[in-house]
């Protein structure tokens, strides 16, 4: 690997060196120059662009090959002699350059040398003689005027003369810069060529001079003539001008005079008008001044009048103000006195109020005393009243209870007998039906006989019943009349006593008496009502007795009829009744079960709806119970579906028209409300109210209430 | 490193090493000379065979693809590549016994010399552009080109014409057979060149 690294380093070094060589030794050539490099070959190289030039082994030379000018001047007695022997002062510029070929450049380099070829002075030195000679030759071959005209010929001739003896240079062009005939005073008359030239010049110039002079005289003559004509014309024009001016002046003056007269006339007229206007103006001014004077006086008088009026007003106002002030003062004084009086009155009021307060205090004290006595009397009265009421109620309750007990026993007996009679009736009916079916005509006839007898009996019983009822009603009416009489008496007595009490109201004890009287009246009233009730109960009892007697009579007959039934039919009937009872019993038990089950199902349903069901118990308990509950639910549905009663009861709920829960709520709420109302009534107040000012209906209600209380106790 | 020194100082590579050393010394010297701005005669310069000089030598170099650049550079690259191949291969011969070593070494030297030539040509190809020179055209090369007569007339002895070059036209001396149609500005074609008289024979160029 090391040789590779080394060789890379060395190669880099070589490349660097080669670049340095290039930078250092590459020579570039400017335009218009040629570089001649002497290499180790036989011929040097000519380069116009650029080349590597190695030192020591190469030699580099630069040469200017651009266009050079060489100027040849010949003037004075050294002027150029033309073909017609006229000398010319001439200045010719020759343009030379080197062709961009290797041979030409080398030729110039070898014959002239690079350094020398670049300087125009040396070139002039080199070629001046050649060019001058060529110029002479060419000049002698051409006329003076031809030099001007035949430029191309002149150049060609020069080139032809010079040929290619310019040692590598090429004559590009020859231009005559300055060309003039040499002045005569510079010519040498003794010189052959010059003498010929002078003669020719003189000939030519004399002719020219004569012609020139003639031309000049002609010119002068024509000028003079023109001048005279011009002067004449000018004078004529001046005359015309003067005439025109005079005429103009005359016309101007006439016009001016006319205009002046016109203007004067107009001026005077205007003056008259102005004067007139002025006079009128003055007149108007005077009139206006008079008017003004008058107006001024009038205004002055007005002013005076106004001033006097104003003064009068002022005095009046002042006096009024004085009067006002006095009145105000007097009023204020009166006001002051009045205020004082008011204050005094206030003081008196205060005193009076204090007295009133004292009086009220005394009154209040008296009232307190009175109240105490009244309250005490009240208390005693109430005690007495309550005692009397209690006694009356006790009596009443005892009587009522006794009556009720009697009534109930009678009722129960009646029911017992009625049911017995019913049963027997049914037996008899069945029996009769059986008999009908067994034996048609005879039994029917027998039954008809029996039935007719029974109907007769019934009719008789009905009549008796009605009779009893009428009797009872008469007795009830009597009792009512007695009660009303009693109450009326009590009312009249109470009113009388009250009127008396009102008369003696200022006396505290009167009230007590009145109240005592009241109590008496109440007691009497209670007695009367109790009496009436007892009477009525008796009447009712007798009515019921009569009815039941009738019924029992009917039943007796029925049982007598039933006696006629055979043993078999009775047994059958008994069996049927037993069957009915058993059926009812089973139905009831089923219903109870159904209720229990439905409640259980509700409970379970609620529990299930609320509970997260965790299925536990590996022995199928849960599932079994669940299925059981489902079965119960089914049973309930079945029951409700099959039972007509339940269908009727729950018809609206099943149809979705009513909600069972809201119904239940309503029921409970109504119960609660009624309870509240009951609570809000105070028993004592109620009693007092009804006792003092109760209508008969209210009293009846109170009775009922007391009865229920008694029942609850019992 | 020791092995490397041993390699370049034994038989076949040692020859290349010497050549390379000489070349390096030449370049160092030329560098010093460059710094010195080449005052002529201040120090000696290796005398090299001609740079692309006309003849057999240059032709052979061109044929091998080694022309167009200074010969010093050709030799340098050649020496460097030969030395590199030789050194690279010779590392594996150092253990050989003497006779066999010399035999193989001689073979290696020749093979490296042969192999270095195309390698050098390959390396020099991009450098060749730096050393191109355009020399001036010669007069002979104008034959066959068109020109424009610049004198009034042309005859056997007199006449000048301009040949259009890229820049300034070349002003040449021309001649033509005497009765001709050549006037100033007429186009002509150069037929021949006489280097002795430095004159071109022209003929009128037919229209077209």
């Amino acid at each position: 690997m090391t040789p590779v690294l080394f060789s890379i380093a060395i190669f880099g070094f070589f490349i660097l060196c080669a670049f340095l060589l290039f930078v250092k030794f590459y020579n570039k050539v400017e335009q218009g120059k040629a570089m001649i490099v002497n290499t180790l070959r036989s011929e040097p190289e000519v380069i116009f662009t650029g080349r590597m030039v190695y030192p020591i082994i190469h030699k580099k030379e630069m040469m200017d090959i651009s266009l050079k000018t060489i100027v040849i001047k010949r003037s004075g007695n050294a002027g150029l002699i033309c073909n017609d022997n006229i000398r010319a002062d001439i200045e010719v510029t020759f343009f030379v350059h080197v062709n961009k070929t290797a041979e030409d450049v080398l030729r110039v380099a070898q014959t002239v040398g690079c350094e020398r070829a670049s300087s125009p002075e040396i070139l002039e030195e080199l070629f001046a003689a050649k060019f001058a000679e060529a110029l002479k030759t060419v000049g002698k071959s051409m006329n003076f005027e031809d030099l001007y005209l035949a430029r191309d010929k002149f150049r060609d001739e020069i080139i032809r003369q010079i040929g290619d003896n310019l040692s590598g240079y090429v004559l590009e062009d020859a231009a005559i810069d300055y060309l003039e005939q040499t002045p005569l005073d510079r010519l040498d008359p003794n010189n052959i060529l010059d003498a010929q030239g002078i003669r020719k010049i003189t000939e030519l110039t004399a002719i020219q001079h004569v012609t020139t002079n003639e031309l000049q005289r002609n010119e002068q003559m024509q000028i003079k003539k023109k001048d005279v004509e011009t002067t004449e014309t000018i004078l004529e024009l001046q005359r015309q001008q003067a005439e025109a001016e005079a005429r103009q002046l005359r016309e101007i003056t006439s016009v001016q005079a006319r205009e002046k007269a016109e203007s004067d006339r107009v001026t005077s007229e205007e003056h008259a008008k102005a004067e007139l206007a002025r006079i009128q103006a003055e007149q108007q001014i005077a009139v206006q001044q008079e008017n003004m004077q008058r107006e001024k006086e009038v205004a002055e008088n007005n002013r005076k009048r106004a001033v006097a009026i104003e003064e009068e007003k002022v005095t009046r106002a002042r006096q009024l103000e004085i009067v006002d002030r006095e009145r105000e003062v007097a009023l204020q004084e009166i006001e002051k006195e009045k205020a004082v009086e008011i204050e005094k009155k206030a003081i008196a009021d205060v005193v009076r109020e204090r007295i009133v307060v004292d009086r009220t205090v005394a009154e209040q004290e008296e009232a307190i005393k009175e109240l105490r006595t009244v309250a005490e009397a009240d208390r005693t009265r109430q005690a007495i009243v309550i005692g009397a009421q209690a006694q009356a109620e006790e009596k009443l309750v005892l009587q009522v209870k006794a009556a009720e007990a009697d009534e109930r026993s009678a009722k129960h007996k009646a029911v017992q007998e009625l049911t017995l009679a019913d049963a027997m009736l049914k037996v008899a009916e069945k029996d009769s039906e059986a008999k009908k079916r067994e034996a048609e005509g005879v039994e029917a006839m027998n039954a008809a006989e029996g039935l007719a007898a029974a109907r007769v009996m019934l009719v008789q019983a009905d009549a008796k019943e009605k009779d009893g009822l009428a009797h009872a009603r008469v007795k009830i009416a009597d009792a009512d009349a007695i009660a009303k009489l009693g109450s009326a008496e009590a009312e009249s007595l109470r009113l009388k006593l009250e009127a008396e009490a009102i008369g003696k109201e200022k006396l505290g004890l009167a009230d007590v008496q009145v109240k005592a009287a009241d109590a008496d009246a109440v007691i009497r009233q209670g007695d009367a009502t109790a009496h009436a009730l007892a009477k009525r109960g008796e009447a009712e009892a007798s009515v019921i007795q009569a009815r039941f007697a009738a019924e029992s009579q009917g039943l007796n007959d029925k049982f007598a009829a039933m006696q006629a039934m055979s043993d078999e039919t009775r047994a059958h009937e008994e069996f049927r009744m037993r069957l009915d009872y058993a059926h009812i019993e089973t139905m009831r038990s089923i219903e109870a079960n159904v209720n229990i089950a439905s409640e259980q199902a509700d409970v379970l349903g609620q529990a299930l709806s609320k509970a997260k069901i965790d299925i536990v118990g590996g022995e199928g308990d849960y599932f079994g119970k669940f299925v059981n509950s489902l079965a119960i639910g089914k049973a309930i549905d079945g029951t409700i579906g099959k039972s007509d009663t339940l269908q009727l009861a729950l018809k609206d709920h099943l149809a979705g028209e009513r909600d069972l829960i809201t119904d239940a709520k309503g029921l409970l709420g109504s119960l609660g409300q009624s309870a509240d109302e009951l609570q809000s009534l105070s028993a004592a107040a109620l009693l007092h109210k009804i006792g003092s000012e109760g209508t008969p209906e209210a009293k009846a209600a109170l009775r009922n209430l007391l009865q229920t209380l008694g029942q609850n106790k019992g | 490193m020791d092995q490397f020194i041993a390699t370049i100082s034994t038989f076949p590579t040692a020859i290349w090493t010497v050549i390379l050393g000489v070349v390096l010394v030449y370049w160092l010297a030329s560098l010093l000379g460059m710094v010195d701005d080449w005052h002529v005669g201040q120090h000696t310069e290796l005398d090299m065979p001609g740079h692309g000089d006309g003849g057999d030598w240059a032709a052979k170099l061109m044929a091998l693809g080694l022309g167009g650049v200074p010969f010093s550079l050709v030799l340098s690259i050649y020496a460097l590549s030969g030395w590199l191949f030789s050194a690279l291969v010779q590392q594996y011969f150092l253990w050989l016994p003497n006779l066999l070593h010399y035999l193989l070494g001689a073979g290696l030297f020749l093979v490296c010399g042969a192999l270095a030539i195309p390698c050098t040509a390959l390396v020099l190809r991009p450098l060749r552009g730096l050393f191109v020179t355009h020399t001036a055209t010669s007069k002979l090369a104008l034959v066959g080109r068109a020109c424009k007569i610049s004198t009034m007339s042309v005859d056997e002895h007199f006449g000048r014409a301009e040949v259009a070059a890229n820049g300034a036209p070349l002003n040449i001396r021309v001649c033509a057979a005497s009765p001709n149609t050549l006037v100033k500005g007429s186009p002509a074609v150069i037929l021949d060149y006489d280097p002795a008289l430095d004159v071109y024979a022209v003929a009128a160029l037919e229209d077209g």
Side-chain angles (χ1 to χ4, degrees):
Chain A
M1 214 55 227
T2 327
V4 176
L5 293 171
F6 264 85
S7 60
I8 286 166
I10 291 163
F11 179 71
F13 174 69
F14 287 161
I15 294 296
L16 179 75
C17 288
F19 269 104
L20 285 171
L21 268 181
F22 182 79
V23 168
K24 192 73 191 167
F25 301 134
Y26 192 83
N27 284 42
K28 292 172 285 290
V29 182
E30 294 165 27
Q31 295 303 307
K33 283 196 160 55
M35 184 169 72
I36 301 160
V37 180
N38 283 322
T39 57
L40 297 174
R41 290 188 227 166
S42 56
E43 283 297 316
E45 283 180 20
V46 177
I47 294 109
F48 299 110
T49 52
R51 193 199 193 287
M52 294 290 292
V53 179
Y54 301 106
I56 309 294
I57 52 173
H58 288 170
K59 179 77 180 89
K60 177 196 77 173
E61 284 180 292
M62 300 299 288
M63 190 176 83
D64 195 350
I65 58 165
S66 57
L67 197 68
K68 301 279 185 298
T69 53
I70 292 156
V71 182
I72 304 295
K73 275 189 190 173
R74 300 188 66 88
S75 60
N77 47 10
L80 186 68
I81 296 289
C82 293
N83 192 20
D84 47 7
N85 293 329
I86 293 174
R87 235 177 237 281
D89 288 357
I90 196 167
E91 189 175 322
V92 182
T93 306
F94 294 93
F95 296 90
V96 294
H97 78 281
V98 185
N99 271 337
K100 272 180 71 179
T101 57
E103 289 86 350
D104 283 353
V105 172
L106 283 175
R107 190 171 165 196
V108 170
Q110 283 155 20
T111 53
V112 179
C114 292
E115 289 285 329
R116 298 172 71 216
S118 303
S119 78
E121 294 81 13
I122 287 167
L123 284 183
E124 205 154 335
E125 266 179 38
L126 282 174
F127 299 130
K130 263 188 191 178
F131 287 149
E133 189 189 359
L135 192 58
K136 275 182 197 166
T137 314
V138 172
K140 194 73 184 87
S141 72
M142 292 174 78
N143 283 344
F144 175 70
E145 288 173 27
D146 290 346
L147 286 178
Y148 279 107
L149 301 172
R151 281 290 176 94
D152 282 344
K153 187 166 178 281
F154 175 76
R155 193 177 66 96
D156 274 13
E157 288 303 315
I158 293 268
I159 288 167
R160 193 194 288 271
Q161 285 301 319
I162 288 169
D164 298 309
N165 304 325
L166 286 178
S167 57
Y169 277 96
V170 173
L171 180 61
E172 184 74 15
D173 201 354
I176 298 167
D177 198 11
Y178 174 78
L179 177 65
E180 276 301 329
Q181 182 216 312
T182 309
L184 272 175
D185 56 345
R186 299 296 305 276
L187 296 179
D188 184 2
N190 298 322
N191 184 314
I192 298 169
L193 295 174
D194 277 355
Q196 285 182 2
I198 287 165
R199 186 174 62 81
K200 185 163 186 184
I201 289 167
T202 312
E203 272 178 17
L204 288 170
T205 49
I207 292 164
Q208 292 301 325
H209 284 324
V210 168
T211 315
T212 309
N213 187 39
E214 194 180 340
L215 286 168
Q216 280 174 347
R217 290 300 162 214
N218 276 348
E219 183 198 14
Q220 283 175 0
M221 194 170 64
Q222 278 180 350
I223 287 167
K224 198 67 183 166
K225 191 178 172 192
K226 195 74 194 165
D227 284 351
V228 169
E229 279 175 10
T230 310
T231 314
E232 276 178 4
T233 316
I234 286 168
L235 286 172
E236 176 64 22
L237 286 170
Q238 278 175 349
R239 188 182 57 77
Q240 283 175 3
Q241 190 186 359
E243 195 177 331
E245 279 174 355
R247 198 182 310 128
Q248 170 80 353
L249 201 67
R250 183 172 55 82
E251 281 176 5
I252 286 168
T253 44
S254 72
V255 167
Q256 276 176 346
R258 199 165 52 235
E259 288 301 315
K260 189 165 183 308
E262 185 66 23
S263 71
D264 284 351
R265 189 175 60 77
V266 170
T267 317
S268 58
E269 278 174 10
E270 288 301 315
H271 183 65
K273 277 183 197 165
E275 283 297 309
L276 210 69
R278 190 176 56 78
I279 287 158
Q280 272 179 359
E282 279 173 0
Q283 181 191 342
Q284 277 181 356
I285 286 162
V287 168
Q288 287 297 327
Q289 272 175 347
E290 287 304 311
N291 281 349
M292 192 186 73
Q293 194 70 27
R294 193 190 62 203
E295 287 287 325
K296 216 157 71 176
E297 281 164 9
V298 167
E300 208 172 341
N301 286 339
N302 279 344
R303 187 176 57 82
K304 281 175 185 168
R305 195 183 61 196
V307 167
I309 287 163
E310 281 302 312
E311 280 172 355
E312 282 305 309
K313 274 184 184 166
V314 167
T315 48
R316 197 187 66 181
R318 187 181 295 138
Q319 283 166 1
L320 277 175
E321 283 299 316
I322 289 161
V323 170
D324 269 355
R325 192 192 62 200
E326 285 169 354
R327 197 185 61 189
E328 280 289 317
V329 169
L331 278 174
Q332 287 294 332
E333 280 171 354
I334 289 159
E335 196 71 31
K336 187 188 74 179
E337 282 166 9
K338 200 165 77 176
V340 169
E341 284 302 311
I342 284 163
E343 286 303 313
K344 280 177 183 170
K345 186 170 155 266
I347 290 160
D349 276 354
V350 170
V351 171
R352 192 167 55 86
E353 273 169 14
R354 206 187 56 218
I355 290 159
V356 166
V357 169
D358 288 349
R359 191 174 127 224
T360 48
V361 168
E363 274 175 3
Q364 289 296 322
E365 282 169 356
E366 286 301 309
I368 289 161
K369 285 174 188 170
E370 185 189 344
L371 194 69
R372 276 188 188 140
T373 51
V374 167
E376 221 171 318
D378 225 1
R379 248 202 319 276
T380 51
R381 178 180 66 98
Q382 276 182 355
I384 292 160
V385 167
I386 289 161
Q389 272 182 350
Q391 284 176 359
E393 274 171 19
E394 204 180 350
K395 281 179 187 171
L396 170 77
V397 165
L398 283 172
Q399 285 171 358
V400 167
K401 281 293 162 193
E404 271 183 1
D406 287 352
E407 187 191 356
R408 273 189 197 170
S409 63
K411 263 187 192 166
H412 284 302
K413 272 182 186 167
V415 169
Q416 190 184 355
E417 282 167 6
L418 188 70
T419 45
L420 275 171
D422 271 355
M424 281 172 182
L425 178 68
K426 278 178 184 167
V427 170
E429 277 174 6
K430 298 283 177 205
D431 201 17
S432 71
E433 277 179 28
K435 285 272 191 305
K436 269 182 202 167
R437 281 172 195 168
E438 280 173 17
E440 296 168 5
V442 185
E443 284 169 37
M445 283 169 69
N446 290 343
E449 276 178 32
L451 277 169
R455 274 178 193 164
V456 167
M457 291 283 180
L458 273 170
V459 167
Q460 280 177 355
D462 274 355
K464 277 184 182 174
E465 189 185 345
K466 279 172 183 171
D467 203 33
L469 275 170
H471 203 65
R473 271 179 197 151
V474 168
K475 283 193 173 165
I476 286 163
D478 279 3
D480 273 356
I482 289 161
K484 276 176 183 168
L485 197 86
S487 70
E489 277 179 4
E491 191 74 22
S492 66
L493 192 66
R494 194 172 57 81
L495 284 169
K496 208 161 73 186
L497 288 171
E498 272 180 3
E500 281 176 23
I502 288 160
K504 295 172 184 175
E505 208 175 2
K506 292 283 158 78
L507 307 170
L509 288 170
D511 204 17
V512 181
Q513 285 174 2
V514 170
K515 297 281 183 206
D518 249 1
D520 279 354
V522 169
I523 291 160
R524 279 185 197 172
Q525 196 180 352
D527 279 351
T529 49
H531 191 68
L533 273 171
K535 282 267 157 83
R536 192 167 160 181
E538 278 176 11
E540 278 176 3
S542 66
V543 168
I544 289 159
Q545 211 178 348
R547 198 174 70 200
F548 283 147
E551 279 179 4
S552 64
Q553 192 70 44
L555 281 169
N556 278 339
D557 292 275
K558 202 161 96 180
F559 286 135
M562 279 168 71
Q563 289 273 318
M565 276 188 214
S566 64
D567 285 351
E568 289 90 341
T569 44
R570 197 179 301 158
H572 166 74
E573 191 67 32
E574 278 173 5
F575 173 71
R576 198 180 57 83
M577 281 167 79
R578 269 205 302 276
L579 207 74
D580 276 356
Y581 280 126
H583 170 71
I584 289 159
E585 206 171 315
T586 48
M587 282 304 291
R588 283 289 157 82
S589 72
I590 283 165
E591 270 184 10
N593 283 336
V594 163
N595 284 339
I596 290 159
S598 74
E599 276 174 7
Q600 279 176 351
D602 278 355
V603 167
L604 190 63
Q606 280 181 3
L608 283 173
S609 69
K610 290 215 174 89
K612 280 185 183 174
I613 298 169
D614 291 322
I615 300 183
V616 288
E619 293 161 11
D621 287 5
Y622 170 79
F623 186 70
K625 280 173 187 167
F626 189 75
V627 170
N628 285 347
S629 66
L630 283 177
I632 289 160
K634 284 276 180 204
I636 293 159
D637 285 349
T639 316
I640 291 168
K642 287 193 175 85
S643 162
D644 291 347
T645 322
L646 283 173
Q647 286 264 0
L648 274 173
L650 301 173
K651 184 178 68 178
D652 291 343
H653 300 292
L654 287 171
E657 287 169 5
R658 290 179 65 179
D659 192 355
L660 195 62
I661 292 159
T662 48
D663 281 1
K665 263 189 195 169
L667 198 66
L668 290 168
S670 66
L671 281 172
Q673 279 171 5
S674 59
D676 286 349
E677 281 167 10
L678 275 172
Q679 275 177 353
S680 69
L681 277 171
S682 160
L686 182 77
L687 286 168
H688 176 234
K689 229 175 167 178
I690 294 165
S692 63
E693 50 197 4
T695 56
E697 291 90 340
K699 282 171 182 165
L702 180 67
R703 263 206 310 280
N704 287 343
L705 183 70
L706 288 168
Q707 276 175 13
T708 54
L709 283 166
Q711 277 177 9
N712 287 351
K713 276 177 190 167
Chain B
M1 200 67 203
D2 292 342
Q3 195 199 6
F4 171 64
I5 289 163
T7 303
I8 63 171
S9 59
T10 50
F11 163 58
T13 315
I15 298 166
W16 291 110
T17 310
V18 168
I19 296 167
L20 190 63
V22 167
V23 168
L24 281 170
V25 166
Y26 162 77
W27 283 113
L28 284 167
S30 58
L31 270 181
L32 289 171
M34 274 190 266
V35 171
D36 256 348
D37 211 6
W38 291 105
H39 288 302
V40 180
Q42 260 209 340
H43 63 95
T44 54
E45 164 81 9
L46 273 180
D47 195 3
M48 311 270 294
H51 288 261
D53 190 9
D56 234 9
W57 179 242
K60 286 195 175 90
L61 279 180
M62 286 299 280
L64 287 173
L66 305 176
V69 290
F71 185 69
S72 51
L73 199 57
V74 175
L75 192 62
S76 309
I77 302 296
Y78 181 72
L80 180 64
S81 38
W83 177 83
L84 176 62
F85 293 139
S86 180
L88 281 175
V89 179
Q90 210 210 316
Q91 290 180 46
Y92 307 104
F93 298 162
L94 283 174
W95 51 271
L96 285 171
N98 260 347
L99 182 64
L100 192 60
H101 176 93
Y102 278 103
L103 277 169
L104 269 169
L108 179 64
F109 179 70
L110 292 173
V111 168
C112 288
L115 201 61
I117 289 169
C119 182
T120 307
L122 201 70
V123 171
L124 290 178
R125 193 173 301 164
L127 296 174
R128 203 170 297 159
L130 289 173
F131 300 97
V132 171
T133 53
H134 301 279
T135 52
T137 51
S138 68
K139 288 211 153 191
L140 195 58
L142 295 177
V143 174
R145 292 178 65 174
C147 62
K148 201 170 74 177
I149 305 298
S150 60
T151 50
M152 310 278 285
S153 62
V154 180
D155 57 22
E156 286 82 353
H157 308 293
F158 172 74
R160 294 202 79 85
E162 284 185 346
V163 181
N166 271 337
L170 300 174
N171 196 314
I172 55 171
R173 186 181 170 199
V174 296
C175 63
S178 197
N180 56 34
T181 57
L182 293 169
V183 290
K184 186 173 180 178
S186 58
V189 66
I190 300 167
L191 302 174
D192 193 14
Y193 176 57
D194 182 1
L197 294 171
D198 185 25
V199 70
Y200 292 88
V202 295
L205 192 65
E206 298 307 317
D207 285 346

